[in-house]
Amino acid sequence: MSTQRFYVCSCFYSRNIFLHKYDMHVVFNNEKQLWKDYGMYLNQRGCKTEGDRKDVIITIETELKRRRGLGDESIKRTDLIREKYQPIHPHVFKLQEKFFATNFLEIVSYCKQLKANKDELLKRLESQIADRVYSFPVFTKEFCQDFLEEIENFESSDLPKGRPNTMNKYGVLLNELGFDEDFMNLFRTEYLQPITTLLFPDWGGDALDSHKAFIVTYKINEDKDLSYHYDNAEVTINISLGGNFSDGQLYFGGMRDVPLENTECSQYMHKAAYGLLHRGQHKHGAMPILEGDRYNLIIWMRSSRVRNQLCPMCDQLPVLVENVGYGDGFTKEVVDVCNTI
């Protein structure tokens, strides 16, 4: 990882708190503010009794406590996993070109050419699902099988797992499992950024300097779907690793400032080893799976050049708070004291 220090915005400790039971996000500064801002909407969604209201407060306080301790807990989990975990496919932890589909390597090779341009790139991509949402093969099915077996092996262990975010209760944070240094960093800088430079220059696609990579799992008795939302990212890639499942289509609406009722949604059915590349603030969700299991690799790619100007979660100039690893991708300008003398 780069020696650059990364931060989170202070809004992480009060905003974008997802209440699963009521399928909504809230901001929490204090109880009076919560009920003033959201009381009517929560009541309409079934939060009617004093017991319901107490449960909401407990849920929020539990989540905020988790967020405040996230850095220390992540370090503890990472150290324990490094010490105790026994991989079954050690080779998948170090990125190799043979993991990639031939078409993907051809796309990356084209994007690295000096004369590469967006129009020619679009001809090489398999399809455009919605406005600036692109689908193309990424990995071989053989790699996906080995990678998925590794994830399932880790899931079946008794080692601690950090959940990816408030909306996904089940999954794996890949940095804690040891995938960042020799896999995800190279994947982002050497393979994905040449593509995003052409497709999303207006979203920092040419300056993606951090990421958050995780696995989400969808199972009948666990998470079956995903509510309509946007990502804490400038650019996201969502890669299906496979699994035996039915239904569970992904759907895209408009950008984050467009209400769902004012947009026409486009649907996409995941294909194993294929990636879906889109702007992080393009709102989307996942329909319920009806049977089986589905595993997806999600990489939220971030550009400090973009987000340092405006936090995508609170729409304010970010107030920086120290964090571990890549944090939420914010950086602080470092002044060279020697040059100021």
Side-chain angles (χ1 to χ4, degrees), residues 192 196 199-201 203-206 208 210 231-237 277-281 299-303 307:
L192 295 175
T196 60
L199 295 178
F200 305 110
W203 287 91
D206 57 341
L208 299 171
S210 70
D231 300 334
N232 186 359
E234 274 62 69
V235 182
T236 294
I237 190 164
L277 190 69
H278 62 88
R279 293 162 292 175
Q281 294 190 33
I299 307 177
W300 289 352
M301 294 178 282
R302 291 150 169 176
S303 170
R307 61 183 41 227

Side-chain angles (χ1 to χ4, degrees), residues 28-293:
F28 182 80
N29 297 315
N30 54 63
E31 290 191 37
K32 183 178 180 180
Q33 166 268 321
L34 177 77
W35 300 119
K36 177 183 177 182
D37 293 347
Y38 302 101
M40 180 179 70
Y41 304 106
L42 285 165
N43 181 272
Q44 291 171 349
R45 299 185 182 207
C47 181
K48 298 183 180 296
T49 68
E50 187 61 29
D52 291 335
R53 291 163 69 93
K54 286 182 179 179
D55 287 344
V56 166
I57 297 301
I58 290 172
T59 298
I60 291 173
E61 290 179 342
T62 300
E63 170 60 16
L64 293 181
K65 181 179 179 181
R66 182 190 75 87
R67 294 186 185 192
R68 287 189 291 267
L70 206 54
D72 290 341
E73 290 301 315
S74 180
I75 291 172
K76 291 177 184 177
R77 286 193 300 267
T78 301
D79 289 345
L80 186 59
I81 291 167
R82 185 184 298 116
E83 178 186 354
K84 300 290 187 181
Y85 182 61
Q86 297 295 321
I88 58 172
H89 296 302
H91 67 281
V92 303
F93 287 81
K94 188 168 185 176
L95 188 64
Q96 303 175 52
E97 283 215 340
K98 68 179 183 179
F99 296 165
F100 294 118
T102 300
N103 288 358
F104 179 73
L105 291 174
E106 291 173 351
I107 290 169
V108 174
S109 177
Y110 171 74
C111 291
K112 289 182 176 181
Q113 296 177 19
L114 292 177
K115 295 182 179 180
N117 63 78
K118 180 179 178 180
D119 290 339
E120 286 299 318
L121 172 58
L122 292 178
K123 296 176 184 178
R124 298 164 188 263
L125 300 180
E126 183 131 326
S127 60
Q128 182 166 330
I129 308 306
D131 182 35
R132 303 182 75 180
V133 180
Y134 308 101
S135 172
F136 47 87
V138 178
F139 294 124
T140 66
K141 290 186 178 179
E142 291 76 16
F143 167 74
C144 287
Q145 181 64 35
D146 287 350
F147 189 53
L148 186 52
E149 288 176 2
E150 192 65 59
I151 297 302
E152 291 175 327
N153 182 61
F154 176 66
E155 281 188 328
S156 66
S157 75
D158 58 2
L159 290 166
K161 290 99 183 168
R163 59 179 171 138
N165 51 67
T166 58
M167 298 186 73
N168 296 105
K169 294 181 180 178
Y170 302 92
V172 175
L173 292 168
L174 291 175
N175 65 309
E176 295 184 359
L177 191 49
F179 275 97
D180 261 4
E181 186 170 349
D182 292 327
F183 194 115
M184 294 301 164
N185 285 334
L186 292 172
F187 187 26
R188 168 173 50 83
T189 58
E190 299 300 317
Y191 295 91
L192 295 175
Q193 186 158 283
I195 301 173
T196 60
T197 294
L198 295 180
L199 295 178
F200 305 110
D202 51 334
W203 287 91
D206 57 341
L208 299 171
D209 52 356
S210 70
H211 63 264
K212 179 176 180 177
F214 53 95
I215 303 295
V216 293
T217 60
Y218 298 90
K219 300 181 180 182
I220 291 299
N221 295 320
E222 296 179 0
D223 287 336
K224 295 189 296 183
D225 56 13
L226 188 62
S227 296
Y228 195 54
H229 69 286
Y230 64 93
D231 300 334
N232 186 359
E234 274 62 69
V235 182
T236 294
I237 190 164
N238 180 338
I239 305 170
S240 174
L241 299 175
N244 297 311
F245 61 92
S246 63
D247 289 322
Q249 296 93 332
L250 199 63
Y251 61 92
F252 284 85
M255 296 298 282
R256 59 176 289 216
D257 56 347
V258 181
L260 180 58
E261 59 269 21
N262 294 341
T263 187
E264 184 175 334
C265 289
S266 302
Q267 292 192 11
Y268 171 77
M269 177 59 77
H270 281 290
K271 293 188 286 187
Y274 273 64
L276 206 59
L277 190 69
H278 62 88
R279 293 162 292 175
Q281 294 190 33
H282 195 155
K283 296 191 75 172
H284 55 284
M287 302 293 287
I289 61 169
L290 296 184
E291 61 180 0
D293 305 336

